[in-house]
Amino acid sequence: MKRKIILSLLLAGFGFAEVTNSIAQEVKENNQSQFGEFMDRRGTYSRTASGKPGVGYWQNAADYQIEATLDDQAHTITGKVTMTYTNNSPETLDFIWMQLEQNRFTEDSRGTLTTPVQGNRYNGDTDGGFDISNLEAKVGSKGAASNKHIITDTRMQVWFAEPIPAKGGKATVSMNFSFKVPEKGMDRMGRLEVEDGTIYALAQWYPKVAVFDQIEGWNVEPYLGAGEFYLEYGNFDYKITVPYDHIVVGSGELLNPKEVLSKELQDRYAKAKESDETVYLVSPEEIGNTELTRPKQEGTVTWHFAIQNSRDIAFASSKTFIWDAAKINLPSGKTILAQSVYPKESNGEEAWSRSTEYSKASIEYYSKTWFEFPYATATNVAAEIGGMEYPGLNFCHYKSKGRGLWGVTDHEFGHNWFPMIVGSNERRYAWMDEGFNTFINHYSTLAFNNGEYPSNLQQTRRSVNYFNSETREGIDNYPDVVNTSNLGMIAYNKPAMGLLMLREYILGHERFDNAFKSYIKTWAYKHPQPSDFFNHMENVGGENLSWFWHGWFYGNGNIDLGINGVFPYSGNYLLSISNKGEIPMPVLFEVTYDDDTKERFTLPVEIWQRGDVWNHIIKTEKKVKSVVLDPDKILPDVNLGNDSWPQNIYDN
C-alpha cells in the first residue's frame, strides 16, 4: 500500500520533498539503543579492552597420569588417576572441584531427570556411573593427606588438609575409579557391537578438575547433555591395558609401538608416516589375523600414549578395526600422522576408506589457513556416535559415507581449533566453538578436492522461516537451556552466518582474516570470554561492531533492508532505502544501467544511527534500469520482496 501512496504522490505532481517526507514519517527519533554498548567490555587487570590477556591474567593447570584397564567381557574400565594441580590464581584454595561425568549415566542424575519423556539426542544408559575409592589429596610433596570429598551428581569437591598456596602452589589428587561403559553414551561415547566384536569409544572416562577462573571462580555447572566441556590445560601420560587382540588409538602420540605392534605393523606404521597416500596398517582381510599384526597371542597388552598442552584425552579400543594412515604436512615443515580405524561394516571407497584422505585434507587446510595443528596424530574413529570431538581424535558415525562422512570428519577435526586450542567455555557459550567451527568448515569444504562437496552456509536465506518464527531463540542462551530443536541454529548456524557476514559483507577478507587469526593466536591454550572475542575483533579489524554483536549475537531481532523507490533527481537518481528490521547493516547495492553495465556502491552502517530511512544520490549520466540490495545474497534478510527496484506497484 505504501508504494501506491508514493506513486500517487508522484503522479499528482508533488515534488521530491513531499515524497521523501511521506517516507520519512516512519523515522524513529534515534537508534542509539542499537549502536550503544550492550555489555560491559571495559578492560580489567586480567583482560584488556583490546581483547587480550592482561598483565594480571592467570590460568590454573592440571597434569594427569592415568593407568586403566578395559574388561571386554564385563564392559568396564578400571583405573587410577593421579592429577598434579597448579594454582596460579592470586588466592589460596582450600578445595578443588572435579568433574565426574560418568555419573550422568545413573537413574537419578540431573541429566537423566531433565531428559524429556520422549527422549532426545542426549539419551544415555542409566546403569552406570563412577565408583571412586582410595582418594588421597595433599598439598606439596610432604603435605598431610586428606580423603575428604563430597560427590554431588557429576561433580566432586575435594578438600585438602591445608590450603593450596596462591601463585604457583601445587597439590596432587589421586584415586581409583571404575565404571561400566554405557552402550548409549549420549552420542558422545559408548560401545558398538559389530560382527567381529565390540568397538569401545571412550571419553569422559576419568575424573578431571573443573576450571577455576577470573570470571566465575569455580565453574561447576553439572553435565546434563547439551552443554559440553570447559577444561584446564596440562600434560597427559596415560596407559591403557586391553586384550592382546585389540588395537588402541588415543589422543596424542603412541610411545611404545614396538611393544604393541608386530614387526610387520611397525614397518607399515613407519611407511604411513612418510606417505601422502593412505597406507593400510591392518587391511580388511587381516581383521582377526593376530599372528601377523600383534606381538602377543594371549593375555593383555598395555598401550602407552602422551599429549602435551591439552585439555582432555579420549581413546578407542577394538579387535574389529581396519586401520589405515597417511602423512600430514604442516606449514612449519613438520609432519604428523592422520589415521582412521573402522570395522568392515564401514569399509568402501564411498565410505570410510576415504576417512584418512578427509582427515589429512582437513588438518592441512586449517593449519595453513588459521593456526598450525599442535598434536602428533589426527585420528578418526568409526563408532555409533553422530560426531564428537576430542584433542586429536574424533568419533564419527560408522555408517557415514560420501559427503556426510566428509562433513562430520571435517567438522570434528575443526573443533581442534575451537575449543581444543582456543579453550572457550562450551557449557555456557556453545556458539564460541560450534559456531566458529561451522564457519571455518564452510571454507575448508569449498577448498576440498576442488569443491567435490558443496557448502550451503552462504545460502543464508534458506533460514528465513526460522528467523521469522515466534519460537526462535537467541545465540546467547546456554545450550542446556535452549529448546533442543533450536540448538542447531543458535549454536551452529546463526553464529557461523554472523562470521560469514563479517568476512564477506562487513569487514572484508583481509581485515577479518587478520583479526580472526590474531584472536586464535592470542587465546591459544587460554580461556576467552565473549567480550574478549568482541573486543579483539574490533581492535584488530578496526571497526566498532557493537551494533552487530548486540543485534546478531545477543539479540533476537532480524535484518530487513528495503528499497522505498528510485527517483529522477537533478539529472541523477535518488535512491530511498529503509531499515525495517531490528539490526542495522551497511548497505551494499548494485545498479544496472540501460546498457546492462553494472556498478556497486556501499553505504556505511552509520546511515541508520538517527533514523530508519536514508536517501542517497546515484550520480550517473546513464539511465538506471534496476537496483538490488545485497546482490550476493549474503544477508539473511527476512523480507525478500523489498530488496530490488523496480517492484510490482500493485504489491502490498
Side-chain angles (χ1 to χ4, degrees), residues 47 57-64 66 83-90 93 95-99 101 164 169 206-220 228-236 307-313 375 390-391 419-427 523-529:
R47 295 166 189 266
Y57 180 86
W58 53 264
Q59 188 173 303
N60 292 349
D63 299 325
Y64 295 85
I66 310 173
M83 180 195 67
T84 301
Y85 186 73
T86 303
N87 175 25
N88 293 315
S89 80
L93 299 176
F95 58 82
I96 63 172
W97 281 98
M98 300 190 71
Q99 302 280 0
E101 286 142 348
I164 308 174
Y206 62 96
K208 63 191 73 169
V209 73
V211 172
F212 183 72
D213 64 19
Q214 307 100 327
I215 308 301
E216 296 292 331
W218 286 107
N219 286 260
V220 292
E228 292 185 296
F229 311 106
Y230 185 35
L231 303 167
E232 297 288 16
Y233 288 91
N235 300 325
F236 292 79
I307 189 170
Q308 287 74 48
N309 209 12
S310 179
R311 44 174 260 160
D312 200 3
I313 50 174
Y375 304 123
Y390 299 94
M420 307 306 167
I421 294 172
V422 181
S424 58
N425 185 343
E426 297 178 273
R427 200 156 289 179
W523 288 99
Y525 315 110
K526 296 182 177 66
H527 296 316
Q529 295 290 311

Side-chain angles (χ1 to χ4, degrees), residues 322-441:
I322 300 167
W323 186 10
D324 63 36
K327 176 181 64 170
I328 292 173
N329 302 292
L330 298 178
S332 65
K334 179 181 177 182
T335 62
I336 58 171
L337 191 70
Q339 58 183 353
S340 301
V341 289
Y342 48 98
K344 66 184 181 184
E345 287 85 348
S346 305
N347 191 33
E349 283 302 317
E350 296 302 316
W352 276 77
S353 295
R354 295 190 69 186
S355 169
T356 293
E357 175 196 352
Y358 295 160
S359 304
K360 171 182 167 66
S362 183
I363 296 294
E364 288 180 348
Y365 178 83
Y366 296 131
S367 295
K368 176 183 68 175
T369 306
W370 303 116
F371 188 92
E372 184 162 304
F373 183 78
Y375 304 123
T377 54
T379 305
N380 210 18
V381 179
E384 195 169 23
I385 296 166
M388 188 60 203
E389 73 283 354
Y390 299 94
L393 185 142
N394 305 331
F395 300 136
C396 296
H397 203 276
Y398 77 109
K399 291 185 178 180
S400 293
K401 57 181 60 178
R403 177 184 177 185
L405 181 57
W406 158 261
V408 68
T409 299
D410 183 54
H411 180 80
E412 305 313 333
F413 276 128
H415 273 303
N416 279 274
W417 283 262
F418 309 101
M420 307 306 167
I421 294 172
V422 181
S424 58
N425 185 343
E426 297 178 273
R427 200 156 289 179
R428 288 188 173 217
Y429 310 114
W431 59 271
M432 292 184 73
D433 70 288
E434 298 294 359
F436 291 9
N437 186 25
T438 301
F439 167 74
I440 65 173
N441 298 159

Side-chain angles (χ1 to χ4, degrees), residues 152-163:
T152 305
D153 193 52
T154 58
R155 298 143 310 167
M156 175 169 63
Q157 188 179 32
V158 177
W159 292 79
F160 297 90
E162 56 191 289

Side-chain angles (χ1 to χ4, degrees), residues 297 363 389 474 539 591 600:
Q297 302 305 309
I363 296 294
E389 73 283 354
N539 276 266
V591 178
R600 289 189 175 190

Side-chain angles (χ1 to χ4, degrees), residues 460-528:
T460 61
R461 300 193 181 192
R462 285 186 170 190
S463 302
V464 165
N465 286 342
Y466 173 83
F467 293 129
N468 279 322
S469 72
E470 294 183 359
T471 58
R472 69 185 187 275
E473 297 177 81
I475 290 173
D476 53 320
N477 286 308
Y478 290 177
D480 283 316
V481 175
V482 73
N483 188 312
T484 305
S485 64
N486 289 339
L487 187 61
M489 177 57 73
I490 70 166
Y492 296 73
N493 292 334
K494 187 178 179 184
M497 290 179 199
L499 297 191
L500 184 81
M501 285 188 278
L502 278 177
R503 187 174 194 265
E504 302 294 341
Y505 190 91
I506 298 170
L507 291 178
H509 291 188
E510 186 174 14
R511 285 204 292 165
F512 177 90
D513 291 355
N514 287 340
F516 201 54
K517 285 192 282 190
S518 179
Y519 167 72
I520 296 171
K521 182 178 179 180
T522 298
W523 288 99
Y525 315 110
K526 296 182 177 66
H527 296 316

